[in-house]
Amino acid sequence: MEKKVLSFSTRLMHGTSRPCPTTGSLTPPLYQTSTFVFDHMQQGADRFAGEEEGYIYTRLGNPTVSDLEAKMADLEGAEAAIAFGSGMAAVSGVLFHLLKSGDHVICSDGIYGCTYGLLRLLEERFGVEITYVDMTRPEKVEEAIRPRTRVVYLETPVNPTMKLIDLKAVSGIARRAGASVVVDNTFATPYLQRPLECGADYVVHSATKYLGGHGDLIAGVALGKKEEMDAIRISTLKDIGGVLSPFDAWLLMRGIRTLAVRMDRHVENAKKVARWLEDHPQVKEVLYPGLESHPQFEVARRQMDAPGGVISFRVAGGLEGARAFLDSVRLCHLTVSLGEVSTLVQHPASMTHSVIPEEIRERMGITGDLVRISIGLEDPNDILSDLEEALRISRGTVAFNENP
Ligand code: 4LM
């Protein structure tokens, strides 16, 4: 009989792990241990030598973490996955694996602040050269290629400007140049976008966000070819040591089971809020890939199954307009991070992206009037009422400052 391929939503809770064979526990057990006992010395020696399968020490592998890794590999369509203790540990684990002094990286002109900080560290301390290009125009990647270009690194959607990058076009250019493409898929999740299917070599995630989904853990995942993931496991995971704890892996798997229903609601709410913001006189520009006004609306339709749950927008009145708005929200939480059940708002220029020098930040479009909102699962009318009131206060504050 032909094997039936289960749909994505079903694979979130079926497929890779089975109920515990000894107890029948439906929920996979949590192996909250740091180390594993050997039957005799030779067994320990064989496991260290890689001649016998089996667990040794949780920094090198743990059954609960392995369950999560198998699930993520299945969802992204990857040969293998590695869990890390944070999104940044996953990003650095992959980049330290791929790069050495003198290598060149082409990075999207717009990137999470700490990833920018990591690239600056690689540049200043390890002699790696970085070029930032506007990858919404893939030909710019081609122009930036050098003989030592080893990595093309990008986010799509870009945090926080919500620009989109054509994964097939950029991956094709990188492949011809012999460079590896690393895609941060945090904003989309594999439910909405699978970069490996579009030609990328590696995917990284901050699993802290939509994958976990409840704002109660910090985690990261890297995915790619098995050979590369095996090399990362015994080098930049094991020796740098940014491992995920078994408990957080277990919690993350619980979150992943509801990814599809949560993402559907995030998207439905975000579409409503984005359209509403677009018509609001106090809002100068709305950056959301689900709006026809978005410059890469066609890219969104081609490579994403839906436009996601994050919206950025520019508030009238510049930095002070944004400040008055952010100080006035009541239901929405004023906090960094994204992709959890509640709606979160923050100010990228002074918060998540403040490490980027102002001139570069402005060139990337991260201006003082820009606000990012991660739409939660609340009744959308309650979100809209909160935004309406905060924008009303912002309008009053700006008008008062102009005509005191
Ligand atoms: C934020 N972001 O934007 P950990 N990749 C992307 C991210 O947005 C983040 C990370 C990696 C935010 C955190 C405060 C696209 C984080 C890093 O925080 O190390 O799991 O992820 O609000």
Side-chain angles (χ1 to χ4, degrees), residues 93-111:
V94 171
L95 290 181
F96 276 96
H97 165 69
L98 287 173
L99 294 168
K100 57 183 181 306
S101 300
D103 284 345
H104 177 233
V105 177
I106 303 175
C107 181
S108 52
D109 199 0
I111 198 84

Side-chain angles (χ1 to χ4, degrees), residues 86-89 91 112 115 155 159 184 186-187 205-209 218-220 336-338 346 352-353 372:
S86 70
M88 286 318 302
V91 174
Y112 171 54
T115 306
E155 290 172 6
N159 182 3
D184 185 328
T186 299
F187 273 44
H205 280 281
S206 169
T208 313
K209 312 294 169 5
I218 299 277
V336 297
S337 203
L338 58 107
Q346 68 111 7
T352 50
H353 293 70
R372 189 189 76 190

Side-chain angles (χ1 to χ4, degrees), residues 182-194:
V182 183
V183 178
D184 185 328
N185 201 26
T186 299
F187 273 44
T189 81
Y191 183 53
L192 302 184
Q193 172 176 276
R194 289 156 303 280

